[in-house]
Amino acid sequence: MAFWTSHLLGLLFFFLLIINQISFITTTNVRVGVILKPTFLHVPVFREAPAFRNGRDCGSSAADRIHVAMTLDANYLRGTMAAVLSILQHSTCPEDVMFHFLCVRHEPVVFSSIKSTFPYLNFKLYKFDVHRVRGLISKSIRQALDQPLNYARIYLPDLIPIDVKRVIYLDSDIVIVDDIVKLWRVDLGDKVLAAPEYCQANFTTYFTNTFWDDSELPKTFDGRKPCYFNTGVMIMDVDKWRCGNYTQKVEDWMIVQKQKRIYHLGSLPPFLLTLAGDITPVDHRWNQHGLGGDNIEGKCRSLHPGPISLLHWSGKGKPWLRLDSRKPCTVDHLWAPYDLYRSSRHSFEE
């Protein structure tokens, strides 16, 4: 009797599981069973990175922490892994680096991937509420620039802990070939932001004729000498950002963009409108940008002359995609040694 009772309970439990997976749709008195299949996020498999330890002169207090923020997207995860590896490999005090990853949803498989690749990594995950920007994003010249996570850097001070006073923001398509502590120690003075400036670039091209022809909008630059800077490498004084309400200032320009179409790119122009000409300049060696080509074709580009501390594949072309297609640019081979993708031929171990 006990056997049959147990057997019937098992069948009942199995039947309830099946019912839970079926959605019944009624059409002209016919009930059709539709099995809802779970969706799986495809995440690349990575090799475990070496364990990087602090040197003798490294501190051990919270004041010695170097805070680095990056976005975490499954589509760019391979780039993020390479960036993290490059930071740790070239750091004198790798255990002092604290990573703050911003994501649109908590994906356990992505979390597990980070833990298995970097078992000793100090990091935290923060969920970015995409509803904060959905009504503010305007279509740009490249779809990748329209993703809500691309705008998360604007809200970084609202996401990370209140006791973090300074943070380095980095894009996922970079590698660092120098000690990140040198970037961390940049003196911001009384400025809220520090980044490499490029005053030789034609600043007017970042905005439309509608902007420049307006009688009022260009006056935002009065009293400033605006220069282009790339928002993929920034040092931010988090307290000053919060106190100055800079998130709202950037959002205000995004609202103007929705009304008048004053620029073509994604999250960069509102940063320029808010802060260009009012930041602390950083040595150009800390953002050898544009290695991904332009935003349309992503053609190969050569390195700019001068010393290099950070390589940045901004633009359409990403090194992991070009390497996989067997049509890499010369500069992509500088990224390849940091690629931890398990099936990659261009490995760190080589």
Side-chain angles (χ1 to χ4, degrees):
M1 184 68 179
F3 169 79
W4 287 109
T5 301
S6 176
H7 187 63
L8 287 172
L9 286 173
L11 287 173
L12 179 61
F13 179 70
F14 177 76
F15 178 73
L16 289 173
L17 284 177
I18 294 297
I19 289 295
N20 191 49
Q21 295 296 316
I22 298 178
S23 173
F24 288 102
I25 304 172
T26 304
T27 307
T28 61
N29 297 324
V30 178
R31 304 183 84 191
V32 182
V34 180
I35 298 179
L36 301 178
K37 296 182 180 179
T39 57
F40 297 97
L41 180 69
H42 174 69
V43 174
V45 178
F46 301 95
R47 297 184 302 280
E48 181 178 328
F52 297 96
R53 300 302 184 185
N54 279 359
R56 291 183 178 180
D57 298 329
C58 297
S60 57
S61 66
D64 298 309
R65 288 282 193 195
I66 298 172
H67 296 277
V68 177
M70 304 178 73
T71 57
L72 199 60
D73 185 328
N75 294 322
Y76 285 81
L77 188 58
R78 191 167 163 188
T80 303
M81 294 295 196
V84 171
L85 175 61
S86 71
I87 293 169
L88 298 177
Q89 181 184 341
H90 296 286
S91 176
T92 304
C93 305
E95 293 177 277
D96 289 349
V97 183
M98 179 70 187
F99 289 89
H100 303 267
F101 294 121
L102 315 180
C103 55
V104 295
R105 64 182 65 85
H106 291 303
E107 300 284 2
V109 66
V110 174
F111 179 85
S112 299
S113 184
I114 297 173
K115 288 294 292 182
S116 61
T117 306
F118 299 102
Y120 308 100
L121 192 68
N122 298 311
F123 75 95
K124 292 182 179 178
L125 292 177
Y126 307 87
K127 184 179 179 182
F128 172 58
D129 184 3
V130 298
H131 293 96
R132 294 195 66 172
V133 291
R134 283 220 186 274
L136 298 173
I137 297 176
S138 299
K139 188 175 181 180
S140 66
I141 60 175
R142 184 158 63 92
Q143 187 177 4
L145 301 177
D146 301 339
Q147 301 306 309
L149 197 57
N150 190 45
Y151 291 80
R153 70 196 81 189
I154 300 169
Y155 304 91
L156 180 57
D158 300 333
L159 298 171
I160 60 178
I162 195 71
D163 60 337
V164 176
K165 306 301 182 183
R166 168 187 286 220
V167 66
I168 297 173
Y169 177 85
L170 298 173
D171 275 349
S172 297
D173 51 2
I174 64 100
V175 293
I176 288 183
V177 293
D178 203 344
D179 196 334
I180 197 171
V181 72
K182 298 176 184 178
L183 185 60
W184 178 253
R185 289 174 178 169
V186 168
D187 184 5
L188 271 70
D190 62 349
K191 305 301 183 183
V192 68
L193 207 69
E197 284 185 315
Y198 303 90
C199 295
Q200 76 281 8
N202 186 352
F203 190 77
T204 61
T205 61
Y206 291 95
F207 305 97
T208 64
N209 290 335
T210 301
F211 174 83
W212 294 115
D213 293 341
D214 191 275
S215 60
E216 295 296 323
L217 294 179
K219 292 180 181 179
T220 188
F221 295 120
D222 287 355
R224 293 191 268 164
K225 293 183 178 179
C227 294
Y228 162 75
F229 67 91
N230 182 281
T231 55
V233 180
M234 302 184 291
I235 308 105
M236 181 184 291
D237 186 314
V238 182
D239 279 347
K240 283 189 174 71
W241 184 279
R242 292 176 181 136
C243 292
N245 200 21
Y246 280 92
T247 294
Q248 184 62 56
K249 292 176 180 178
V250 175
E251 282 185 338
D252 288 345
W253 282 113
M254 294 167 68
I255 293 171
V256 175
Q257 163 73 353
K258 296 289 284 188
Q259 298 167 346
K260 296 189 177 184
R261 190 68 179 175
I262 58 175
Y263 54 79
H264 295 301
L265 293 174
S267 61
L268 169 64
F271 263 94
L272 296 179
L273 288 161
T274 306
L275 287 161
D278 194 26
I279 68 171
T280 298
V282 176
D283 194 299
H284 286 183
R285 69 186 301 151
W286 284 102
N287 196 350
Q288 178 82 214
H289 69 289
L291 301 183
D294 60 25
N295 283 301
I296 306 298
E297 299 181 62
K299 291 182 178 180
C300 294
R301 287 184 179 175
S302 301
L303 295 174
H304 305 297
I308 299 172
S309 294
L310 184 149
L311 296 155
H312 187 187
W313 279 261
S314 58
K316 185 178 181 180
K318 301 307 173 189
W320 55 92
L321 298 178
R322 296 195 296 213
L323 285 163
D324 286 353
S325 68
R326 298 188 179 182
K327 296 179 181 178
C329 299
T330 302
V331 294
D332 297 339
H333 295 290
L334 299 174
W335 180 89
Y338 303 96
D339 187 11
L340 288 167
Y341 183 42
R342 187 173 289 278
S343 65
S344 174
R345 295 181 180 181
H346 309 274
S347 71
F348 171 77
E349 295 166 354
E350 292 172 355

